Amino acid sequence: MPSSQRQILVTSALPYANGPIHLGHLVEYLQTDIWVRFQKMRGHECIYVCASDAHGTPIMLRAQADGISAEELITRVHKEHERDFADFLIEFDNFYTTHSDENRELSAAIYSKLKEGGYIDRRTITQAYDPEKEMFLPDRFIKGECPRCGAKDQYGDNCEVCGATYSPTELINAVSAVSGATPIEKKSEHLFFKLSDFSNMLKDWIHAGHLQDSVANKLDEWLEQGLQDWDISRDAPYFGFEIPDAPGKYFYVWLDAPVGYMASFKNLCDKTELDFDYFWQADSTTELYHFIGKDITNFHCLFWPAMLDGAGYRKPTNVFVHGFLTVNGNKMSKSRGTFIMARSYLNHLSPEYLRYYYAAKLGAGVEDIDLNLEDFQARVNSDLVGKVVNIASRCAGFISKKFAGELSAEIHRPDLLQQFAEASDNIAALYEAREFGRAIREIMALADLANQYIDENKPWVLAKEQGREQDVQDVCSMGLNLFRILIIYLKPVLPAMTASAEAFLNVPPLTWKDCQQTLTSHKINRFKPLMTRIETAAIEAIIEESTTALATDNNAEENSMTESEADTKSPLVADPISDEISFDDFVKLDLRIAKIVNAQHVEGADKLLQLTLDIGGETRNVFAGIKSAYNPEDLEGRLTVMVANLAPRKMRFGLSEGMVVAAGPGGSDLFILGPDEGAEPGMRVK
């Protein structure tokens, strides 16, 4: 093993196993994957592990609502996550699950070590209890009126209107978000981890270069307030691991979730020659990095290092915290079609477009990044198609047709090629520091130079001049050598395009050091297009699909929480059907009987029908995602119900002036028709 080779273990936060992956999740996994691929290109041993976060009350309740076991739910969702990650070219060395024997054994062992060290305490506490479901309720499973401002439908720990924090017992008119019953108070013995015993260690650790400065400063606020001991147990019923010496008590999901990093790595070690203890022992010289979102900082930067320290394991080398994703400058929205699932995106566009755009936006800080869909299209088309791929397409044809695919024996502009090669150290430093956006700007500046070189030398003009064949070969060979270096620099971001470029250039898999080499007197293969432009229709199709999904998957947003968010801070679905809304919200809906006077297919749309609706002397044009269930000719003359006061929405196919109310699981089982007797167009539905 070269002495300069680093041994690095990398993790991303564990995706919660109760719903699909969306584009917000992918910020983290793509950021991590790019960094890992870069490390591997540099020749380091870099191991990337992750797992589905498979425990907690939300998973238990979701499985009950779906009529399946929790094990069936997490197995199904795990497979979906695995597929989506693979299709986005995210290359884990092991993608496992926290519901595993390895995790059970490691969690129990860490708990035992903490208990032996005197860091576990038993206390009797009073909690809210659902008398109908016969279960204790976490704070976020209780809703009521804020005791400070009176806002309705607030959760049991804080008010999202005025920002007040309180205990669930202070809520006015509190109800269980699970059953709607009024909670009662009930006592139970719980186990606590003495986090406060680690205050001094944590003060030193968070300011020893293991965190971004802004993260360390935020954690100082927690430390200054005094760390509270951490409740690590939950009462039955609960989907998780039973605590070894506490029958009927289960490890809180946030205890075994980070242990899942260790368990996934242990599972990998058992299948390979990797040494688990070598990476996790307290004095390990290996490197350990966690990539996480800013909402789970306290768990990874306070609780987790304290647990590791108390159990005698090594602590992370660094925890890299990133911000959230907005779309078109706003929080992702289902109604606007910008709450986009990974699969909806993949149904219409290459994953590498998004990989590149995220890379161009990401820095080393915790700031949010914005997916502006117009900018996304323009930047990918300009940078990747118009600049990088354009270099190869402009040069390859001449080499293939005129020189049988043979590159020149000499480099036409050694000084320019050297400039490209010398940029490797700076670009590598930016990748290492997770300053991907700055790295992309450096790479695109080089791409501009390469295109400028080709424009200045004009091989298409030289090819028409007598006796200039060698000049044509030299210029195009030079262009392809510049292209090759650009591809090396982009390989962590664009692995699939790089593989196609490697096949075209007829070279083995490129490593970072290959940027110092040249291709001379070398045979290339025939060029095939490496990437095509993003068409507006594809983006509109993604939005259309995401909007249509609202009718059949109203819980997509709530069921896509990352690593136990649902058990700690995220809104919980009030029942298996939908979120609760207030009566005041409901009466705002103007539901009208509508007669379908015309129905037709929409050219270019897979799921839409165009309906002309008569609502009593007025007609409305509505696009409805019901093509899978109805033929247009079967709808004309029938009655349905529409939301008449919905703001018009401009779509690629025209203006939609309302929404048809639909019910059913989707596909052919989708129902929009109302009664034909005793109803007239325009009548309000009450």
Side-chain angles (χ1 to χ4, degrees), residues 27-56:
V27 171
E28 179 169 308
Y29 303 102
L30 292 179
Q31 181 188 38
T32 315
D33 184 74
I34 290 168
W35 196 79
V36 168
R37 286 179 181 273
F38 164 73
Q39 299 296 348
K40 291 181 176 180
M41 281 188 72
R42 297 280 278 178
H44 301 308
E45 182 183 23
C46 189
I47 303 157
Y48 182 18
V49 300
C50 195
S52 293
D53 184 7
H55 291 155

Side-chain angles (χ1 to χ4, degrees), residues 176-232:
S176 165
V178 180
S179 68
T182 300
I184 62 174
E185 292 187 357
K186 190 173 182 179
K187 292 183 178 181
S188 177
E189 185 178 67
H190 274 230
L191 299 168
F192 286 79
F193 172 50
K194 296 181 180 179
L195 183 63
S196 54
D197 287 358
F198 296 86
S199 294
N200 291 334
M201 180 278 291
L202 289 169
K203 286 177 184 177
D204 293 337
W205 183 78
I206 68 174
H207 289 291
H210 302 292
L211 306 170
Q212 295 121 301
D213 289 343
S214 60
V215 174
N217 293 336
K218 182 65 177 176
L219 292 172
D220 276 339
E221 298 177 13
W222 287 63
L223 290 164
E224 288 170 4
Q225 294 172 6
L227 295 177
Q228 302 298 310
D229 293 345
W230 179 35
D231 187 347
I232 61 167

Side-chain angles (χ1 to χ4, degrees), residues 137-445:
L137 296 169
D139 293 350
R140 299 294 289 190
F141 285 62
I142 306 167
K143 298 179 72 174
E145 299 169 20
C146 172
R148 306 290 189 273
C149 72
K152 299 177 186 293
D153 297 319
Q154 298 307 305
Y155 293 93
D157 53 359
N158 72 281
C159 176
E160 296 180 348
V161 176
C162 71
T165 58
Y166 40 74
S167 69
T169 56
E170 296 179 85
L171 275 177
I172 301 170
N173 298 324
V175 296
S176 165
V178 180
S179 68
T182 300
I184 62 174
E185 292 187 357
K186 190 173 182 179
K187 292 183 178 181
S188 177
E189 185 178 67
H190 274 230
L191 299 168
F192 286 79
F193 172 50
K194 296 181 180 179
L195 183 63
S196 54
D197 287 358
F198 296 86
S199 294
N200 291 334
M201 180 278 291
L202 289 169
K203 286 177 184 177
D204 293 337
W205 183 78
I206 68 174
H207 289 291
H210 302 292
L211 306 170
Q212 295 121 301
D213 289 343
S214 60
V215 174
N217 293 336
K218 182 65 177 176
L219 292 172
D220 276 339
E221 298 177 13
W222 287 63
L223 290 164
E224 288 170 4
Q225 294 172 6
L227 295 177
Q228 302 298 310
D229 293 345
W230 179 35
D231 187 347
I232 61 167
S233 63
R234 292 295 183 268
D235 293 281
Y238 192 81
F239 184 61
F241 295 141
E242 192 168 22
I243 300 175
D245 60 354
K249 306 290 182 182
Y250 293 79
F251 284 128
Y252 173 41
V253 62
W254 264 110
L255 184 135
D256 69 65
V259 179
Y261 301 142
M262 304 173 76
S264 182
F265 183 63
K266 179 68 165 60
N267 178 257
L268 179 63
C269 290
D270 291 342
K271 296 184 290 188
T272 63
E273 296 181 356
L274 290 167
D275 186 337
F276 178 85
D277 292 333
Y278 178 66
F279 275 82
W280 284 98
Q281 62 196 13
D283 59 352
S284 176
T285 58
T286 63
E287 302 171 49
L288 171 64
Y289 299 99
H290 300 307
F291 285 75
I292 66 165
K294 60 186 178 181
D295 56 325
I296 53 177
T297 301
N298 58 334
F299 291 102
H300 282 81
C301 302
L302 293 176
F303 303 160
W304 178 230
M307 283 172 54
L308 291 169
D309 189 72
Y313 289 106
R314 60 89 47 81
K315 294 183 285 295
T317 307
N318 213 309
V319 180
F320 298 139
V321 183
H322 63 81
F324 297 143
L325 178 75
T326 58
V327 180
N328 293 336
N330 297 295
K331 181 181 177 181
M332 292 191 298
S333 165
K334 289 186 290 183
S335 62
R336 289 192 293 266
T338 58
F339 195 94
I340 302 169
M341 296 301 159
R343 187 52 47 184
S344 296
Y345 174 96
L346 290 166
N347 286 341
H348 303 281
L349 285 176
S350 161
E352 294 203 298
Y353 297 141
L354 194 69
R355 288 180 66 99
Y356 178 78
Y357 191 75
Y358 279 4
K361 289 278 196 171
L362 278 164
V366 297
E367 297 79 15
D368 296 347
I369 69 169
D370 184 53
L371 171 58
N372 181 288
L373 294 172
E374 288 186 7
D375 180 57
F376 164 64
Q377 179 183 8
R379 182 173 295 203
V380 168
N381 290 347
S382 172
D383 288 1
L384 295 184
V385 181
K387 294 181 181 180
V388 178
V389 173
N390 191 45
I391 298 167
S393 63
R394 297 171 87 183
C395 298
F398 290 109
I399 297 296
S400 295
K401 294 175 184 176
K402 293 181 174 293
F403 308 102
E406 185 81 14
L407 299 180
S408 294
E410 303 291 335
I411 294 297
H412 184 238
R413 281 279 306 278
D415 60 320
L416 182 58
L417 194 66
Q418 184 64 22
Q419 182 180 349
F420 271 53
E422 287 178 348
S424 66
D425 287 345
N426 184 45
I427 293 172
L430 292 172
Y431 271 121
E432 177 70 40
R434 305 176 326 286
E435 291 286 1
F436 298 164
R438 291 173 58 191
I440 293 298
R441 288 194 291 274
E442 294 283 337
I443 296 166
M444 286 304 124

Side-chain angles (χ1 to χ4, degrees), residues 26-151:
L26 286 169
V27 171
E28 179 169 308
Y29 303 102
L30 292 179
Q31 181 188 38
T32 315
D33 184 74
I34 290 168
W35 196 79
V36 168
R37 286 179 181 273
F38 164 73
Q39 299 296 348
K40 291 181 176 180
M41 281 188 72
R42 297 280 278 178
H44 301 308
E45 182 183 23
C46 189
I47 303 157
Y48 182 18
V49 300
C50 195
S52 293
D53 184 7
H55 291 155
T57 304
I59 283 176
M60 179 182 72
L61 294 177
R62 171 71 187 274
Q64 290 175 2
D66 289 356
I68 58 177
S69 69
E71 288 83 0
E72 288 175 304
L73 173 64
I74 63 175
T75 297
R76 185 191 75 200
V77 174
H78 178 85
K79 291 178 180 178
E80 293 171 357
H81 288 179
E82 202 166 35
R83 178 197 63 177
D84 289 347
F85 286 141
D87 288 351
F88 264 100
L89 310 177
I90 295 164
E91 195 171 63
F92 299 111
D93 290 285
N94 200 42
F95 184 67
Y96 202 39
T97 173
T98 60
H99 192 61
S100 68
D101 291 338
E102 294 91 340
N103 200 27
R104 183 191 303 273
E105 292 165 5
L106 283 165
S107 296
I110 287 175
Y111 166 76
S112 295
K113 290 177 181 178
L114 295 176
K115 185 178 178 183
E116 290 169 9
Y119 302 122
I120 301 296
D121 190 21
R122 288 177 179 260
R123 303 177 197 166
T124 298
I125 64 172
T126 300
Q127 289 180 279
Y129 185 81
D130 186 325
E132 291 187 11
K133 288 290 185 177
E134 297 184 332
M135 62 180 289
F136 286 97
L137 296 169
D139 293 350
R140 299 294 289 190
F141 285 62
I142 306 167
K143 298 179 72 174
E145 299 169 20
C146 172
R148 306 290 189 273
C149 72

